[in-house]
Amino acid sequence: MRFISWNVNGLRAVLKKGFEDIFAQFDADVFALQETKLQEGQVELELPGYNTYWSYAEKKGYSGTAVFSKREPLQTIHGLGEEALDTEGRIVALEFPELWFVDVYTPNAQSELARLDHRMAWDDAFRDFCKGLEAGVVPAGAQKTAAKPVVMCGDFNVAHQEIDLKNPGPNRGNAGFSDEEREKFDLLLKAGFTDTFRTLHPDLTGAYSWWSYRFNARKNNAGWRIDYFLVSDELAPRVESASIYSEVMGSDHCPIGLTLA
């Protein structure tokens, strides 16, 4: 199976920059988006051969996720099951016979870590959600299911290690590279999930998925790796490739990919 994930930072804008051609070229089995910045009915998108699933934020023009899948899932979940965390359209989870696929757009801790408490609550709830799916436990209102492994992807809004950003020193303590956010990502991995890209490319430097629009950051490759594919540890032996498509333009993020045998 081939999976693609992309934070498009506004789908309506990216549609004007060749999104449909890029989408077709990847020919993914499952294609996940983050930061669609849409409400229902605001875009007409025809993707022949794909089923489409959307989560929308209550706030207009903000957040939002979507997943396009060639196969129809057994069920779809659009939140963590916690009312305080489920107003921003940050989750689309699809159940397939052999695995769960989870698309996530993690909240940004914001300047001076103004939203860090919310971020910490999200990270804990998200980890519990994914471990629950593995164990066959779903939020209230979802269909009961069997235990099965998880593939998760998206913009996690954290650079895990110093190798995952160009300038770790000056950014230590800033949103996306605070000790607190990095520790929560550690806990997610220790809970039984594998960072597919870093496992296959443990020493590769300069591999980033997001660049600021300021200071010619992308031209100079002064970026951050904050977009990930994680899999349940039991799926790790099936990982054939994990890629970052930095040549693909249209957003301040680039797409990332995963192929499972």
Side-chain angles (χ1 to χ4, degrees), residues 38-248:
L38 289 173
Q39 306 303 121
E40 186 171 5
Q42 284 191 309
V43 67
E44 292 185 10
L45 184 60
E46 300 243 348
L47 301 172
Y50 285 85
N51 303 283
T52 62
Y53 306 93
W54 305 81
S55 289
Y56 304 104
E58 292 180 2
K59 179 180 178 182
K60 292 182 178 180
Y62 181 73
S63 188
T65 47
V67 177
F68 312 129
S69 172
K70 288 183 178 178
R71 285 196 295 166
E72 187 174 352
L74 303 175
Q75 66 171 318
T76 308
I77 297 175
H78 295 276
L80 299 178
E82 297 194 21
E83 187 174 350
L85 300 174
D86 286 339
T87 63
E88 296 177 347
R90 295 184 177 274
I91 289 283
V92 179
L94 307 184
E95 182 186 6
F96 296 105
E98 73 279 21
L99 58 79
W100 278 95
F101 179 83
V102 179
D103 176 23
V104 61
Y105 176 39
T106 302
N108 192 306
Q110 297 186 351
S111 178
E112 299 184 357
L113 305 182
R115 212 184 185 197
L116 185 62
D117 288 347
H118 178 83
R119 168 62 181 268
M120 296 293 96
W122 171 276
D123 283 343
D124 288 339
F126 179 74
R127 184 176 65 253
D128 290 345
F129 173 79
C130 292
K131 292 305 292 182
L133 297 183
E134 275 191 331
V137 179
V138 295
Q143 301 170 18
K144 292 183 179 180
T145 184
K148 59 186 68 176
V150 172
V151 173
M152 68 179 85
C153 71
D155 177 358
F156 285 75
N157 260 316
V158 62
H160 183 214
Q161 303 288 0
E162 291 191 355
I163 195 175
D164 295 316
L165 71 166
K166 180 67 177 288
N167 297 304
N171 283 294
R172 185 173 299 279
N174 290 342
F177 200 58
S178 68
D179 291 343
E180 295 90 342
E181 291 164 298
R182 296 170 67 197
E183 287 169 3
K184 292 294 187 186
F185 198 83
D186 277 334
L187 288 175
L188 182 59
L189 297 181
K190 289 175 181 176
F193 297 102
T194 296
D195 176 351
T196 59
F197 183 86
R198 191 53 70 197
T199 297
L200 293 187
H201 311 283
D203 303 313
L204 182 62
T205 60
Y208 309 127
S209 63
W210 173 80
W211 303 262
S212 170
Y213 281 131
R214 299 183 297 169
F215 311 123
N216 291 314
R218 191 155 188 174
K219 180 180 178 181
N220 298 320
N221 199 29
W224 300 49
R225 188 174 75 98
I226 59 176
D227 302 88
Y228 299 84
F229 270 100
L230 307 183
V231 298
S232 296
D233 287 346
E234 69 177 89
L235 291 177
R238 291 178 51 193
V239 175
E240 290 188 340
S241 67
S243 306
I244 297 177
Y245 299 100
S246 57
E247 72 281 4
V248 177

